[in-house]
PDB file of all heavy atoms in Angstrom:
ATOM      1  N   ARG A 596      23.925  18.619 -16.340  1.00  0.00           N
ATOM      2  CA  ARG A 596      23.433  19.545 -17.237  1.00  0.00           C
ATOM      3  C   ARG A 596      22.513  20.555 -16.542  1.00  0.00           C
ATOM      4  O   ARG A 596      22.389  21.715 -16.983  1.00  0.00           O
ATOM      5  CB  ARG A 596      22.365  18.817 -18.268  1.00  0.00           C
ATOM      6  CG  ARG A 596      23.014  17.693 -19.016  1.00  0.00           C
ATOM      7  CD  ARG A 596      23.854  18.242 -20.197  1.00  0.00           C
ATOM      8  NE  ARG A 596      23.101  18.806 -21.198  1.00  0.00           N
ATOM      9  CZ  ARG A 596      23.047  18.378 -22.452  1.00  0.00           C
ATOM     10  NH1 ARG A 596      23.778  17.355 -22.883  1.00  0.00           N
ATOM     11  NH2 ARG A 596      22.273  18.957 -23.393  1.00  0.00           N
ATOM     12  N   CYS A 597      22.065  20.214 -15.361  1.00  0.00           N
ATOM     13  CA  CYS A 597      21.477  21.240 -14.393  1.00  0.00           C
ATOM     14  C   CYS A 597      21.347  20.624 -13.033  1.00  0.00           C
ATOM     15  O   CYS A 597      21.418  19.381 -12.924  1.00  0.00           O
ATOM     16  CB  CYS A 597      20.126  21.710 -14.872  1.00  0.00           C
ATOM     17  SG  CYS A 597      18.896  20.532 -14.995  1.00  0.00           S
ATOM     18  N   GLY A 598      21.244  21.435 -12.016  1.00  0.00           N
ATOM     19  CA  GLY A 598      21.120  21.010 -10.607  1.00  0.00           C
ATOM     20  C   GLY A 598      22.459  20.587 -10.120  1.00  0.00           C
ATOM     21  O   GLY A 598      23.497  21.303 -10.340  1.00  0.00           O
ATOM     22  N   GLY A 599      22.494  19.438  -9.420  1.00  0.00           N
ATOM     23  CA  GLY A 599      23.816  18.961  -8.896  1.00  0.00           C
ATOM     24  C   GLY A 599      24.134  19.577  -7.586  1.00  0.00           C
ATOM     25  O   GLY A 599      25.327  19.406  -7.279  1.00  0.00           O
ATOM     26  N   ALA A 600      23.230  20.160  -6.884  1.00  0.00           N
ATOM     27  CA  ALA A 600      23.560  20.846  -5.510  1.00  0.00           C
ATOM     28  C   ALA A 600      22.211  21.159  -4.866  1.00  0.00           C
ATOM     29  O   ALA A 600      21.230  21.128  -5.446  1.00  0.00           O
ATOM     30  CB  ALA A 600      24.325  22.195  -5.897  1.00  0.00           C
ATOM     31  N   ALA A 601      22.504  21.590  -3.630  1.00  0.00           N
ATOM     32  CA  ALA A 601      21.215  22.144  -2.913  1.00  0.00           C
ATOM     33  C   ALA A 601      21.055  23.545  -3.445  1.00  0.00           C
ATOM     34  O   ALA A 601      22.014  24.274  -3.761  1.00  0.00           O
ATOM     35  CB  ALA A 601      21.511  22.152  -1.436  1.00  0.00           C
ATOM     36  N   PRO A 602      19.768  23.974  -3.379  1.00  0.00           N
ATOM     37  CA  PRO A 602      19.509  25.359  -3.948  1.00  0.00           C
ATOM     38  C   PRO A 602      20.144  26.406  -2.922  1.00  0.00           C
ATOM     39  O   PRO A 602      20.178  26.131  -1.727  1.00  0.00           O
ATOM     40  CB  PRO A 602      17.980  25.476  -3.883  1.00  0.00           C
ATOM     41  CG  PRO A 602      17.498  24.370  -3.074  1.00  0.00           C
ATOM     42  CD  PRO A 602      18.544  23.315  -2.953  1.00  0.00           C
ATOM     43  N   GLU A 603      20.516  27.526  -3.469  1.00  0.00           N
ATOM     44  CA  GLU A 603      21.067  28.557  -2.631  1.00  0.00           C
ATOM     45  C   GLU A 603      19.980  29.470  -2.216  1.00  0.00           C
ATOM     46  O   GLU A 603      19.049  29.727  -2.867  1.00  0.00           O
ATOM     47  CB  GLU A 603      22.143  29.264  -3.395  1.00  0.00           C
ATOM     48  CG  GLU A 603      23.406  28.524  -3.511  1.00  0.00           C
ATOM     49  CD  GLU A 603      24.439  29.100  -4.320  1.00  0.00           C
ATOM     50  OE1 GLU A 603      24.321  30.320  -4.763  1.00  0.00           O
ATOM     51  OE2 GLU A 603      25.471  28.368  -4.591  1.00  0.00           O
ATOM     52  N   GLY A 604      20.135  30.108  -0.985  1.00  0.00           N
ATOM     53  CA  GLY A 604      19.206  31.056  -0.505  1.00  0.00           C
ATOM     54  C   GLY A 604      18.758  30.744   0.969  1.00  0.00           C
ATOM     55  O   GLY A 604      18.596  29.565   1.327  1.00  0.00           O
ATOM     56  N   GLU A 605      18.524  31.756   1.663  1.00  0.00           N
ATOM     57  CA  GLU A 605      18.167  31.674   3.155  1.00  0.00           C
ATOM     58  C   GLU A 605      16.992  30.721   3.304  1.00  0.00           C
ATOM     59  O   GLU A 605      16.961  29.997   4.258  1.00  0.00           O
ATOM     60  CB  GLU A 605      17.905  33.100   3.664  1.00  0.00           C
ATOM     61  CG  GLU A 605      17.714  33.283   5.073  1.00  0.00           C
ATOM     62  CD  GLU A 605      18.968  32.816   5.919  1.00  0.00           C
ATOM     63  OE1 GLU A 605      20.081  32.832   5.350  1.00  0.00           O
ATOM     64  OE2 GLU A 605      18.712  32.343   7.080  1.00  0.00           O
ATOM     65  N   GLU A 606      15.964  30.792   2.464  1.00  0.00           N
ATOM     66  CA  GLU A 606      14.778  30.056   2.572  1.00  0.00           C
ATOM     67  C   GLU A 606      14.993  28.545   2.432  1.00  0.00           C
ATOM     68  O   GLU A 606      14.163  27.741   2.920  1.00  0.00           O
ATOM     69  CB  GLU A 606      13.737  30.516   1.654  1.00  0.00           C
ATOM     70  CG  GLU A 606      13.865  30.219   0.248  1.00  0.00           C
ATOM     71  CD  GLU A 606      14.692  31.339  -0.517  1.00  0.00           C
ATOM     72  OE1 GLU A 606      15.690  31.874   0.057  1.00  0.00           O
ATOM     73  OE2 GLU A 606      14.475  31.589  -1.694  1.00  0.00           O
ATOM     74  N   TYR A 607      16.178  28.153   1.925  1.00  0.00           N
ATOM     75  CA  TYR A 607      16.409  26.726   1.677  1.00  0.00           C
ATOM     76  C   TYR A 607      17.451  26.178   2.741  1.00  0.00           C
ATOM     77  O   TYR A 607      17.700  25.060   2.754  1.00  0.00           O
ATOM     78  CB  TYR A 607      17.047  26.395   0.367  1.00  0.00           C
ATOM     79  CG  TYR A 607      16.063  26.964  -0.887  1.00  0.00           C
ATOM     80  CD1 TYR A 607      16.513  27.920  -1.656  1.00  0.00           C
ATOM     81  CD2 TYR A 607      14.824  26.355  -0.935  1.00  0.00           C
ATOM     82  CE1 TYR A 607      15.755  28.364  -2.686  1.00  0.00           C
ATOM     83  CE2 TYR A 607      13.990  26.815  -1.941  1.00  0.00           C
ATOM     84  CZ  TYR A 607      14.404  27.771  -2.808  1.00  0.00           C
ATOM     85  OH  TYR A 607      13.660  28.268  -3.883  1.00  0.00           O
TER      86      TYR A 607
END
Side-chain angles (χ1 to χ4, degrees):
R596 306 281 293 240
C597 61
E603 286 175 8
E605 188 60 22
E606 67 273 36
Y607 303 119

